[in-house]
Amino acid sequence: MIAKLAKTCTLRISPDKLNFVLSDKVASGGVSMWCELEQANFFSEFQMEGVSAENNEIYLELTSENLSRALKTAQNARALKVKLTNKHFPCLTVSIELLSVSSSSRVVTHDIPVKVIPRRLWRDLQEPTVPAADVSIYLPVLKTMKSVVEKMKNISNHLIIEANLNGELNLRIETELVSVTTHFKDLGNPPPASGHASQDHDPERMTEVHVDVRKLLQFLAGQQGNPAKATCNIVSNKMVHFDLLHEDVSLQYFIPALS
């Protein structure tokens, strides 16, 4: 999933969580991503030592596809070990113990080059703050949404996402020659956060954001299966924030509005 969303990303390792982070400056039109895994759900043994006791974290920059490819070979493995090594340059070494036909095991090792990110740059890689949304709505089946956006991409580079507090979501494109809208109804809205402004406005009124259709499609194309929960938060004319919850993984994805 991450390899489809980001060519390179940052892996943040802390004692209880692993995060995959993409932090293209939203101000300059880039998307950002924060994916979180509880390490206890994935590892039977976990040892890490960060920079210091109060900064017990490690930040590594890597090519997502390299890690994805290495882990794919572990699908029928007996055991898998990931460690940070130094092979003339820093690597994330993935050792995979595979069972062979003769029931003796063999070990396959992948060395994935990484760049250790110095502490002075950590500040740009923290969990993004989520601005108060004007409208939050549950998403339709992502596969359906993807096929709609794929067709719209052939007509325009810009897409308007609009939603209201009545469980309605529209995907719309407008060119000089044509206007196309796909309507999704009865999606439901998450309960508003306490003291939230959105309670005050008319449930029928649409809040919209204009985005680059390719960025939206990249996000939808990266989704494997349907998440347990998928929410779209729109900050009017500023950004759209997708919040997805899979069984053991949570993903937040931010697409800035087109100016």
Side-chain angles (χ1 to χ4, degrees), residues 79-123:
L80 171 110
K81 188 189 275 184
V82 183
K83 54 188 176 183
L84 189 55
T85 56
N86 189 359
K87 312 244 170 147
H88 304 298
F89 48 84
C91 281
L92 205 56
T93 295
V94 179
S95 304
I96 298 160
E97 194 185 324
L98 296 168
L99 279 174
S100 61
V101 185
S102 62
S103 78
S104 62
S105 62
R106 58 198 173 95
V107 175
V108 177
T109 304
H110 300 264
D111 291 322
I112 299 160
V114 295
K115 209 159 89 190
V116 179
I117 298 174
R119 206 159 94 199
R120 65 179 192 296
L121 301 177
W122 288 8
R123 205 179 60 207

Coordinates of all heavy atoms in Angstrom, one line a residue, residues 79-123:
A79 N 10.2 -17.5 9.8 CA 10.5 -16.4 10.7 C 11.1 -15.2 9.8 O 11.6 -15.4 8.7 CB 11.6 -16.8 11.7
L80 N 10.9 -14.0 10.4 CA 11.4 -12.8 9.7 C 12.0 -11.9 10.7 O 11.5 -11.7 11.8 CB 10.2 -12.2 9.0 CG 10.5 -10.8 8.5 CD1 10.4 -10.8 6.9 CD2 9.5 -9.8 8.9
K81 N 13.2 -11.4 10.3 CA 13.9 -10.5 11.3 C 14.3 -9.2 10.5 O 14.8 -9.3 9.4 CB 15.1 -11.2 11.8 CG 15.8 -10.4 12.9 CD 17.2 -11.0 13.3 CE 17.0 -12.2 14.3 NZ 18.3 -12.7 14.7
V82 N 14.0 -8.1 11.1 CA 14.4 -6.8 10.5 C 15.4 -6.2 11.4 O 15.1 -6.0 12.6 CB 13.2 -5.9 10.3 CG1 13.6 -4.6 9.6 CG2 12.1 -6.6 9.5
K83 N 16.6 -5.8 10.9 CA 17.5 -5.1 11.8 C 18.3 -4.0 11.0 O 18.4 -4.0 9.8 CB 18.5 -6.0 12.4 CG 19.2 -6.9 11.5 CD 20.0 -8.0 12.3 CE 20.7 -8.9 11.3 NZ 21.4 -10.0 11.9
L84 N 18.7 -3.0 11.8 CA 19.5 -1.9 11.2 C 20.9 -2.3 11.2 O 21.5 -2.7 12.2 CB 19.2 -0.6 12.0 CG 19.8 0.7 11.5 CD1 19.3 1.0 10.1 CD2 19.4 1.8 12.4
T85 N 21.6 -2.3 10.0 CA 23.0 -2.8 9.9 C 23.8 -1.7 9.2 O 23.3 -0.8 8.6 CB 23.1 -4.1 9.2 OG1 22.5 -3.9 7.9 CG2 22.4 -5.2 9.9
N86 N 25.1 -1.9 9.3 CA 26.0 -1.0 8.6 C 26.9 -1.9 7.6 O 27.7 -2.6 8.0 CB 26.9 -0.3 9.6 CG 27.7 0.8 8.9 OD1 27.6 1.0 7.7 ND2 28.5 1.5 9.7
K87 N 26.6 -1.8 6.3 CA 27.3 -2.6 5.3 C 28.1 -1.5 4.4 O 27.7 -1.3 3.3 CB 26.4 -3.4 4.5 CG 25.4 -4.2 5.3 CD 25.6 -5.7 5.1 CE 24.7 -6.4 6.1 NZ 24.3 -7.7 5.7
H88 N 29.0 -0.8 5.0 CA 29.7 0.3 4.4 C 28.7 1.5 4.2 O 29.2 2.6 4.0 CB 30.3 0.0 3.0 CG 31.2 -1.2 3.0 ND1 32.4 -1.2 3.7 CD2 31.1 -2.4 2.4 CE1 33.0 -2.4 3.6 NE2 32.3 -3.1 2.8
F89 N 27.5 1.2 4.3 CA 26.5 2.3 4.4 C 25.3 1.7 5.2 O 25.1 0.5 5.3 CB 26.0 2.8 3.0 CG 25.7 1.6 2.1 CD1 24.4 1.1 2.1 CD2 26.6 1.1 1.2 CE1 24.1 0.0 1.2 CE2 26.3 0.1 0.3 CZ 25.0 -0.5 0.3
P90 N 24.4 2.6 5.8 CA 23.3 2.1 6.6 C 22.3 1.3 5.8 O 22.0 1.7 4.7 CB 22.7 3.3 7.2 CG 23.3 4.5 6.5 CD 24.5 4.0 5.8
C91 N 21.9 0.1 6.3 CA 20.9 -0.7 5.6 C 19.9 -1.2 6.6 O 20.1 -1.3 7.8 CB 21.6 -2.0 5.1 SG 22.5 -1.7 3.6
L92 N 18.7 -1.4 6.1 CA 17.7 -2.2 6.8 C 17.8 -3.6 6.3 O 17.5 -3.8 5.1 CB 16.3 -1.6 6.6 CG 15.2 -1.8 7.6 CD1 15.6 -1.3 9.0 CD2 13.9 -1.1 7.2
T93 N 18.3 -4.5 7.1 CA 18.5 -5.9 6.6 C 17.3 -6.7 7.0 O 17.0 -6.8 8.2 CB 19.8 -6.4 7.2 OG1 20.9 -5.7 6.7 CG2 20.1 -7.9 6.8
V94 N 16.7 -7.4 6.0 CA 15.6 -8.2 6.3 C 16.1 -9.7 6.1 O 16.5 -10.0 5.0 CB 14.4 -7.9 5.3 CG1 13.2 -8.8 5.5 CG2 14.0 -6.4 5.4
S95 N 16.1 -10.5 7.1 CA 16.5 -11.9 7.1 C 15.2 -12.7 7.1 O 14.4 -12.6 8.1 CB 17.4 -12.3 8.2 OG 18.5 -11.4 8.2
I96 N 15.0 -13.6 6.1 CA 13.8 -14.4 6.1 C 14.2 -15.9 6.1 O 15.0 -16.3 5.3 CB 13.1 -14.1 4.7 CG1 12.7 -12.6 4.7 CG2 11.9 -15.0 4.6 CD1 12.4 -12.0 3.4
E97 N 13.7 -16.6 7.1 CA 13.9 -18.0 7.2 C 12.8 -18.8 6.5 O 11.7 -18.7 6.9 CB 14.0 -18.4 8.7 CG 14.6 -19.8 8.9 CD 14.5 -20.1 10.4 OE1 14.7 -19.3 11.3 OE2 14.3 -21.3 10.7
L98 N 13.2 -19.4 5.4 CA 12.2 -20.2 4.6 C 12.3 -21.7 4.8 O 13.4 -22.2 5.0 CB 12.4 -19.9 3.1 CG 12.2 -18.4 2.7 CD1 12.7 -18.2 1.2 CD2 10.8 -18.0 2.7
L99 N 11.2 -22.3 4.8 CA 11.3 -23.8 4.8 C 11.5 -24.4 3.4 O 10.8 -24.0 2.5 CB 9.9 -24.3 5.4 CG 9.7 -24.3 6.9 CD1 8.3 -24.7 7.2 CD2 10.7 -25.2 7.6
S100 N 12.4 -25.3 3.3 CA 12.6 -25.9 2.0 C 11.9 -27.3 2.0 O 11.5 -27.8 3.1 CB 14.1 -26.0 1.7 OG 14.7 -26.9 2.7
V101 N 11.9 -28.0 0.9 CA 11.2 -29.2 0.8 C 11.8 -30.3 1.8 O 11.0 -31.0 2.4 CB 11.4 -29.8 -0.7 CG1 10.5 -31.1 -0.9 CG2 10.9 -28.7 -1.7
S102 N 13.1 -30.3 1.9 CA 13.7 -31.3 2.8 C 13.5 -30.9 4.3 O 14.2 -31.4 5.2 CB 15.2 -31.4 2.5 OG 15.8 -30.2 2.7
S103 N 12.7 -29.9 4.6 CA 12.4 -29.4 5.9 C 13.6 -28.8 6.6 O 13.5 -28.4 7.8 CB 11.6 -30.4 6.8 OG 12.6 -31.3 7.3
S104 N 14.7 -28.7 5.9 CA 15.8 -27.9 6.5 C 15.5 -26.4 6.0 O 14.8 -26.2 5.0 CB 17.1 -28.3 5.9 OG 17.1 -28.1 4.5
S105 N 15.9 -25.5 6.8 CA 15.6 -24.1 6.4 C 16.7 -23.4 5.8 O 17.9 -23.7 6.0 CB 15.1 -23.4 7.7 OG 16.2 -23.3 8.6
R106 N 16.4 -22.4 4.9 CA 17.4 -21.6 4.4 C 17.1 -20.1 4.6 O 15.9 -19.8 4.8 CB 17.6 -21.9 2.9 CG 16.3 -21.6 2.1 CD 16.3 -22.3 0.7 NE 15.0 -22.2 0.1 CZ 14.7 -21.2 -0.8 NH1 15.6 -20.3 -1.1 NH2 13.5 -21.1 -1.3
V107 N 18.1 -19.3 4.7 CA 17.8 -17.9 5.1 C 18.1 -17.0 3.8 O 19.2 -17.1 3.2 CB 18.7 -17.5 6.2 CG1 18.6 -16.0 6.5 CG2 18.4 -18.3 7.5
V108 N 17.2 -16.2 3.5 CA 17.3 -15.2 2.4 C 17.5 -13.9 3.1 O 16.7 -13.5 4.0 CB 16.1 -15.2 1.5 CG1 16.2 -14.2 0.4 CG2 15.9 -16.6 0.9
T109 N 18.5 -13.1 2.6 CA 18.8 -11.8 3.2 C 18.6 -10.7 2.2 O 19.2 -10.8 1.1 CB 20.2 -11.8 3.8 OG1 20.3 -12.9 4.8 CG2 20.5 -10.5 4.6
H110 N 17.9 -9.6 2.5 CA 17.8 -8.5 1.7 C 18.4 -7.3 2.4 O 18.1 -7.0 3.6 CB 16.4 -8.1 1.4 CG 15.6 -9.2 0.7 ND1 15.4 -9.2 -0.7 CD2 14.9 -10.2 1.2 CE1 14.7 -10.3 -1.0 NE2 14.4 -10.9 0.1
D111 N 19.4 -6.6 1.8 CA 19.9 -5.4 2.4 C 19.3 -4.2 1.7 O 19.5 -4.0 0.5 CB 21.4 -5.3 2.2 CG 22.1 -6.4 3.1 OD1 21.6 -6.6 4.2 OD2 23.1 -7.0 2.7
I112 N 18.5 -3.4 2.4 CA 17.8 -2.2 1.8 C 18.6 -1.0 2.2 O 18.6 -0.7 3.4 CB 16.4 -2.2 2.3 CG1 15.7 -3.5 1.8 CG2 15.7 -1.0 1.7 CD1 14.4 -3.8 2.6
P113 N 19.2 -0.3 1.3 CA 19.9 1.0 1.7 C 18.9 2.0 2.3 O 17.8 2.2 1.8 CB 20.5 1.5 0.3 CG 20.3 0.4 -0.6 CD 19.2 -0.5 -0.2
V114 N 19.3 2.6 3.4 CA 18.5 3.7 4.0 C 19.4 4.9 4.3 O 20.6 4.8 4.3 CB 17.9 3.2 5.3 CG1 16.9 2.0 5.1 CG2 18.9 2.7 6.3
K115 N 18.7 6.0 4.5 CA 19.4 7.2 4.9 C 19.0 7.5 6.3 O 17.7 7.6 6.6 CB 19.0 8.3 4.0 CG 20.1 9.4 3.8 CD 19.9 10.1 2.5 CE 19.0 11.4 2.7 NZ 18.6 12.0 1.5
V116 N 19.9 7.6 7.3 CA 19.5 7.9 8.7 C 19.3 9.4 8.7 O 20.1 10.2 8.3 CB 20.6 7.5 9.7 CG1 20.2 7.9 11.1 CG2 20.8 6.0 9.5
I117 N 18.1 9.8 9.2 CA 17.7 11.2 9.2 C 18.2 11.9 10.5 O 17.8 11.4 11.6 CB 16.2 11.4 9.0 CG1 15.8 10.8 7.6 CG2 15.8 12.9 9.1 CD1 14.3 10.8 7.3
P118 N 19.0 12.9 10.4 CA 19.5 13.6 11.7 C 18.4 14.3 12.4 O 17.3 14.6 11.9 CB 20.5 14.6 11.1 CG 20.1 14.9 9.7 CD 19.5 13.6 9.2
R119 N 18.6 14.4 13.7 CA 17.6 14.9 14.6 C 17.0 16.3 14.3 O 15.9 16.6 14.5 CB 18.1 14.9 16.1 CG 17.0 14.8 17.1 CD 17.5 14.3 18.4 NE 17.8 15.4 19.3 CZ 18.5 15.3 20.3 NH1 19.1 14.1 20.6 NH2 18.8 16.3 21.1
R120 N 17.9 17.1 13.7 CA 17.5 18.5 13.4 C 16.3 18.5 12.3 O 15.6 19.5 12.2 CB 18.6 19.4 12.9 CG 19.3 18.9 11.6 CD 20.4 19.9 11.2 NE 20.9 19.7 9.9 CZ 21.5 18.6 9.4 NH1 21.6 17.7 10.1 NH2 21.9 18.5 8.1
L121 N 16.2 17.4 11.6 CA 15.1 17.3 10.6 C 13.9 16.6 11.0 O 12.9 16.5 10.3 CB 15.6 16.7 9.3 CG 16.9 17.3 8.6 CD1 17.3 16.5 7.5 CD2 16.5 18.8 8.2
W122 N 13.9 16.1 12.3 CA 12.7 15.4 12.8 C 11.5 16.2 12.8 O 10.4 15.7 12.7 CB 13.0 14.8 14.2 CG 14.0 13.7 14.2 CD1 14.7 13.2 13.1 CD2 14.3 12.9 15.3 NE1 15.5 12.2 13.6 CE2 15.3 11.9 14.9 CE3 13.9 12.8 16.6 CZ2 15.9 11.0 15.7 CZ3 14.5 11.9 17.5 CH2 15.4 11.0 17.1
R123 N 11.7 17.5 13.1 CA 10.5 18.3 13.3 C 9.5 18.3 12.1 O 8.3 18.4 12.3 CB 11.0 19.8 13.6 CG 10.0 20.6 14.4 CD 10.6 22.0 14.6 NE 10.8 22.7 13.3 CZ 11.7 23.6 13.1 NH1 12.5 24.0 14.1 NH2 11.8 24.2 11.9

